[in-house]
């Protein structure tokens, strides 16, 4: 692990059941004031609540000047974002 980057790995499922725990983890990573690497490569199931949380997190982190790295978003994750017609917030600019 790089000392300048907080790594957050997601498992196969990202649903409302994990949103509470994920929220705490994301808030902690913002407080560390380091770049944040989100590894989305393993996601096989994702729901609307999780996508909304990640969208809000990205917006808040960028507003604080933090760098967010979206590592290898799975096809399932990308398709879910597209279906919800959410701007492609997870793509590197």
């Amino acid at each position: 692990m790089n000392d300048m980057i907080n790594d957050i790995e997601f498992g196969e499922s990202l649903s409302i059941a994990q949103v509470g725990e994920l929220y705490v983890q994301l808030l902690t990573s913002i407080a560390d004031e380091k770049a944040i690497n989100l590894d989305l490569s393993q996601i096989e199931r994702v729901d609307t609540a999780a996508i909304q949380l990640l969208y809000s997190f990205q917006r808040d982190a960028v507003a604080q000047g933090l760098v967010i790295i979206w590592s290898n978003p799975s096809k399932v994750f990308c398709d879910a974002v597209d279906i919800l017609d959410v701007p492609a917030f997870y793509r590197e600019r």
Side-chain angles (χ1 to χ4, degrees):
M1 183 166 124
N2 185 329
D3 288 338
M4 300 304 294
I5 299 175
N6 278 334
D7 290 305
I8 298 176
E9 295 181 11
F10 298 92
E12 291 182 5
S13 178
L14 189 54
S15 69
I16 197 164
Q18 290 93 18
V19 166
E21 181 180 324
L22 177 58
Y23 179 71
V24 171
Q25 191 175 14
L26 294 173
L27 282 180
T28 301
S29 68
I30 286 177
D32 286 344
E33 298 182 350
K34 298 178 185 177
I36 303 161
N37 178 53
L38 303 176
D39 182 352
L40 305 165
S41 62
Q42 300 301 311
I43 294 177
E44 292 296 323
R45 286 180 304 271
V46 62
D47 68 18
T48 304
I51 291 172
Q52 289 172 329
L53 175 62
L54 289 173
Y55 182 80
S56 295
F57 164 74
Q58 188 269 347
R59 184 192 62 219
D60 294 346
V62 169
Q64 293 186 32
L66 299 175
V67 173
I68 306 299
I69 303 162
W70 301 90
S71 295
N72 305 315
S74 70
K75 181 172 179 3
V76 169
F77 180 83
C78 295
D79 289 348
V81 171
D82 291 343
I83 288 168
L84 293 171
D85 198 27
V86 178
F89 64 93
Y90 62 91
R91 295 193 177 114
E92 291 187 38
R93 302 176 206 284

